Amino acid sequence: MKYTFVVLLLTLFHSSYSQHLKKTEVKEITNKAVVEILTRLQSHIVISGKKLTINVFKISNGSGSAHVVGDDEISETYFFTVTDAPADEGPIFKVFSLGPFYGPKIIKTTDLGDNYVFTLEHYNSGKREIHKIIINLNKIIYQ
């Protein structure tokens, strides 16, 4: 008798929950900025630190840019989303972009709690350079 009652409760709960789910839909994305970023996406990583969660998106310069004066190499820009509470309701998200860079590579990451430091190596005037990117919830500093 108890087993039947538990099964009945679970069935009712499941059907009630299922009624609140949205119907699966296919939607075309037409926002030009979103389409441009998604079609040029080279890589994406997620870094969860002590206090910050950072999404790092590496975006290429896109098609047709090879004939632009001063842009004869493949350049890449980074987009960062930063939040201090990704799982909480109503988290604060900030989005930043940084670039362009030629041949960039993040070679080190350091979690300092309220700040996260990326060490970036890239080409500048034919030479490899190393810079720091300091990220917190309010800003990005490029050194």
Side-chain angles (χ1 to χ4, degrees), residues 35-46:
V35 170
E36 184 176 328
I37 288 172
L38 289 176
T39 57
R40 294 174 28 210
L41 181 64
Q42 295 295 310
S43 64
H44 169 243
I45 58 172
V46 179

Side-chain angles (χ1 to χ4, degrees), residues 96-114:
F96 303 95
S97 68
L98 181 64
F101 297 105
Y102 297 97
K105 182 178 178 182
I106 295 172
I107 58 174
K108 183 180 176 184
T109 61
T110 307
D111 184 3
L112 302 175
D114 290 331

Side-chain angles (χ1 to χ4, degrees), residues 84-103:
D84 61 348
D88 291 344
E89 290 187 30
I92 297 171
F93 278 98
K94 298 284 179 100
V95 179
F96 303 95
S97 68
L98 181 64
F101 297 105
Y102 297 97

